[in-house]
Amino acid sequence: MPPISHVPIPWSPPGPTTQTNSISQWLLEPHPTSLTLIVSSTLGILQASAKLNDLLRISGPELHNCPCCHLDATPAMVCRHRTLFRDLEPYSETLLMRLGDGEPQPVRVIGFPIIEPDGRILLAETIRPLGPLRQAPRLVGQSATFQRHLQELRQAAATEASVLLHGETGSGKELAAELLHQQSPRADGPFIVVDCTVLSEDLFESELFGHVKGAFTGATSHKTGLMELADKGTLFLDEIGELPLSQQPKLLRALETGTFRPVGATKTRRAKVRVISATHQDLPALIQRGAFRQDLYYRLAVLPIGIPALRERREDIPAMTEHILQQIAAERPRAYRLGKEAMRKLLGYSYPGNIRELRNLLQLATALSPEGEIPAEVIRIPTHAPAAAAPECGVKLTDSAATAGLGLSPIELAERQYILDLLREYHGSRRGLAERMGISERTLYRKLKRYALNVPNG
Ligand SMILES: Nc1ncnc2c1ncn2[C@@H]1O[C@H](COP(=O)(O)OP(=O)(O)OP(=O)(O)O)[C@@H](O)[C@H]1O
C-alpha cells in the first residue's frame, strides 16, 4: 500500500493536465481500470471509474447522486467521507463493499481530498479488492480425471472440514479453493486469500490478526486482520509450506480456538472461519525435515485433495486452449485461430508449469500472430523442457474428406480425431466412450453429430 502521508492535502495535479481541467476527470480518465469514486461535499457519489461501473454492471448515471456509503456492505457508525470533509485528512481503511455480484468483498479504501479549479472540494476514494473478486470461477475440463476431481471438490465443499489442496504450480489450486468456497454454505461470506510467501516473521501477526493504532512505529491507524475479515467465510492459506516455522504455533492456536489478539490490543477477538490451504510442496517431507509442524498439518489436512497436473488430463488441452484464447481475445480487437500443427505442438508438451504455462505460451503466440491465425512456429515450447511424460493422447490432425464442409475449427478437428482414436479403443461403444471422456452420453451424442461420426448406441 502506498504511504498515504505522501498524498498532499488538499491535492492538485502538477500543472494543467486535462482538456476539461477537472481534477476528478484527471483521476478517472487516464486510469479507467482502477476502482475510483468521486464524492461531493454533500455526501453523494458524483462519478465512478469505468472499471467500477463495469464491475457493478451499471451505467455511470445510476450511481450518480447515490449516498456516499451506497456500496458499503455494513454501514459504519461514523461516515468516513463526512469526517474527511470536516478534517481534510486522508484515510486508509479496510471494509466490506458490495462489488460484482453483490456479495460482500473485503477491500482497502484510500480517500483523499481534491480541490477542483472552480474551488470545490471533492473527495476521491480508490478501492483495492483484497483477494480475488467474488465471481464464480469457470473450471474447464471434461476429462474423466478432471471430472473425478471436481466431484471430490463438490463433496468437500458441502462440509466444514479443513481442506489441503496439493498440486504442481499453476495447476489450479487457487481456482479450486474459490470453487470450494462458492459451493459451500459459506458462499455468502467473504473469501480471503492469505499469501503465505509474503508473511515474514515481522508481518505475520499484524497481517493475520491486525493491529491497533500506535502498536508499533508505522501503525498510524487501526488495521483489521485477514482472519477477522474472513469471519463467517473462508480463509485461504496459499503456499502454506512457506509459513515460517516460528509462526506456525500462532496460526494453529488461532485456528483451534477461533480467537486471536491484534498486535497491541488488550482484548482477544473471535472469528469463525473455514480453512482451505494449498501447497505445491511435499508437506510430509517438510515435517520429516523439521520444517513444518505435524500438529498444524493434521489441523489443515483433514481432507487432502490432489489437483491433477495438466499432462495427466491431456484430453482437456484443446478445450483449455480455446478457453484461454477466448479470454485473450476479449481484451483485444480480434479473435484467434490455431493451426493444426500448432495444436499438435501444444498436445505434445508436458507442461511443468501447467495451465499457467499453457496460458503464457498462448499469450506469446497471440502476440506474435497479428492476423489472428496462430502458426506452429510461434508456439515456443521451452527447449530445456522434459519430453511429455505421458504418451501422446493420440490426437492426429487429419484433413479427412469426412470433415470437409463441416466447418470445424482446428480445436474441433483435434477433438474429432481424439474421439475417433478412443472409438477404436472402445470398439465403438458409446457408453464406454462417454464414461472415459467424463461426459454424459447426451453430450457425446451431440459431439458425434457435430463431427459426423456415426456410432451405434450401447
Ligand atoms: N480448470 C481450469 N479451468 C480454467 N482455467 C484454469 C483452471 N485451473 C486453473 N486455471 C487457470 O490457470 C492459472 C493458474 O491457476 P491457479 O493460480 O489457480 O494455480 P495454482 O495452482 O494456485 O498456482 P500456484 O501454485 O502458482 O499458486 C490461472 O490463470 C487460472 O485461472
Side-chain angles (χ1 to χ4, degrees):
M1 189 187 65
I4 60 170
S5 54
H6 289 176
V7 181
I9 317 171
W11 184 81
S12 5
T17 47
T18 61
Q19 285 172 338
T20 57
N21 220 17
S22 148
I23 294 160
S24 50
Q25 292 309 311
W26 188 88
L27 275 172
L28 294 176
E29 279 170 9
H31 311 291
T33 55
S34 69
L35 302 180
T36 310
L37 270 184
I38 304 292
V39 176
S40 72
S41 57
T42 53
L43 303 180
I45 295 176
L46 275 184
Q47 266 178 299
S49 61
K51 174 80 177 168
L52 189 57
N53 285 321
D54 243 27
L55 204 61
L56 299 168
R57 302 205 179 101
I58 58 169
S59 66
E62 280 174 66
L63 204 58
H64 188 74
N65 277 338
C66 282
C68 56
C69 293
H70 181 68
L71 299 177
D72 291 9
T74 40
M77 302 280 278
V78 182
C79 166
R80 62 187 180 280
H81 307 100
R82 186 187 294 278
T83 310
L84 181 134
F85 282 111
R86 191 191 61 208
D87 303 341
L88 294 182
E89 288 273 358
Y91 57 79
S92 162
E93 282 182 26
T94 301
L95 47 97
L96 292 174
M97 272 193 178
R98 290 205 178 275
L99 299 175
D101 293 333
E103 291 185 31
Q105 167 82 40
V107 294
R108 179 71 52 85
V109 292
I110 295 181
F112 52 93
I114 53 180
I115 305 183
E116 290 289 41
D118 60 10
R120 276 180 313 154
I121 295 187
L122 301 177
L123 183 166
E125 186 166 86
T126 63
I127 303 163
R128 184 164 64 85
L130 295 172
L133 286 170
R134 306 278 80 82
Q135 276 163 345
R138 186 172 161 232
L139 296 189
V140 176
Q142 286 298 333
S143 63
T145 307
F146 192 68
Q147 288 298 315
R148 269 197 304 275
H149 166 61
L150 272 186
Q151 181 64 11
E152 223 180 340
L153 287 178
R154 290 197 188 104
Q155 283 168 352
T159 74
E160 275 289 293
S162 304
V163 174
L164 174 68
L165 299 164
H166 52 96
E168 293 179 10
T169 180
S171 57
K173 297 185 288 296
E174 180 159 351
L175 222 53
E178 267 186 82
L179 184 88
L180 275 173
H181 172 71
Q182 298 282 356
Q183 302 210 341
S184 77
R186 292 172 174 262
D188 283 343
F191 175 76
I192 300 289
V193 181
V194 183
D195 179 0
C196 296
T197 58
V198 299
L199 285 188
S200 59
E201 302 198 356
D202 293 348
L203 279 180
F204 175 82
E205 279 187 271
S206 101
E207 283 295 312
L208 208 67
F209 306 144
H211 62 69
V212 297
K213 189 173 172 180
F216 47 82
T217 321
T220 51
S221 60
H222 166 84
K223 180 174 158 187
T224 310
L226 296 170
M227 185 137 169
E228 193 168 349
L229 286 175
D231 190 24
K232 301 188 181 63
T234 304
L235 188 70
F236 174 49
L237 302 166
D238 200 8
E239 294 302 353
I240 187 70
E242 302 290 335
L243 188 67
L245 192 58
S246 61
Q247 308 305 307
Q248 292 177 16
K250 295 177 194 162
L251 174 64
L252 180 62
R253 199 175 319 120
L255 295 181
E256 303 234 284
T257 62
T259 61
F260 55 91
R261 191 142 50 101
V263 180
T266 47
K267 288 193 181 146
T268 53
R269 304 181 75 89
R270 189 168 281 280
K272 288 190 177 156
V273 300
R274 194 242 176 124
V275 181
I276 299 174
S277 39
T279 183
H280 69 279
Q281 305 196 59
D282 181 352
L283 289 190
L286 288 189
I287 294 170
Q288 291 268 314
R289 293 211 314 267
F292 203 86
R293 289 184 64 113
Q294 192 162 32
D295 46 7
L296 180 59
Y297 176 78
Y298 287 132
R299 176 68 184 74
L300 298 175
V302 177
L303 283 177
I305 296 183
I307 314 264
L310 187 54
R311 67 183 160 282
E312 290 164 26
R313 52 188 189 101
R314 214 169 271 279
E315 308 94 295
D316 290 333
I317 292 176
M320 188 69 80
T321 300
E322 191 160 59
H323 171 70
I324 295 172
L325 286 179
Q326 276 171 10
Q327 287 179 333
I328 295 174
E331 294 164 3
R332 306 205 186 142
R334 71 173 40 78
Y336 292 97
R337 287 169 311 281
L338 203 69
K340 283 182 290 183
E341 276 307 312
M343 176 51 92
R344 193 197 305 276
K345 244 173 143 175
L346 287 177
L347 286 165
Y349 180 47
S350 58
Y351 300 96
N354 291 287
I355 301 159
R356 184 174 299 111
E357 188 174 14
L358 174 61
R359 181 185 297 282
N360 292 346
L361 283 176
L362 293 171
Q363 288 276 11
L364 177 63
T366 50
L368 295 173
S369 309
E371 301 306 321
E373 193 73 46
I374 303 175
E377 307 82 78
V378 299
I379 303 286
R380 303 271 165 88
I381 301 289
T383 46
H384 61 273
E392 258 195 68
C393 71
V395 177
K396 291 190 201 75
L397 301 164
T398 52
D399 255 332
S400 103
T403 57
L406 291 179
L408 300 181
S409 69
I411 288 171
E412 287 175 316
L413 277 171
E415 188 174 53
R416 182 182 190 277
Q417 188 60 49
Y418 170 62
I419 291 175
L420 263 177
D421 288 346
L422 282 184
L423 278 172
R424 274 176 219 124
E425 194 179 319
Y426 285 83
H427 307 292
S429 157
R430 210 192 270 182
R431 191 168 306 134
L433 180 55
E435 267 173 30
R436 164 70 189 270
M437 291 178 73
I439 58 179
S440 65
E441 277 191 68
R442 175 147 188 77
T443 305
L444 177 63
Y445 172 77
R446 269 191 268 116
K447 285 184 188 291
L448 294 174
K449 213 165 144 195
R450 166 87 182 116
Y451 300 151
L453 296 169
N454 203 2
V455 182
N457 231 333

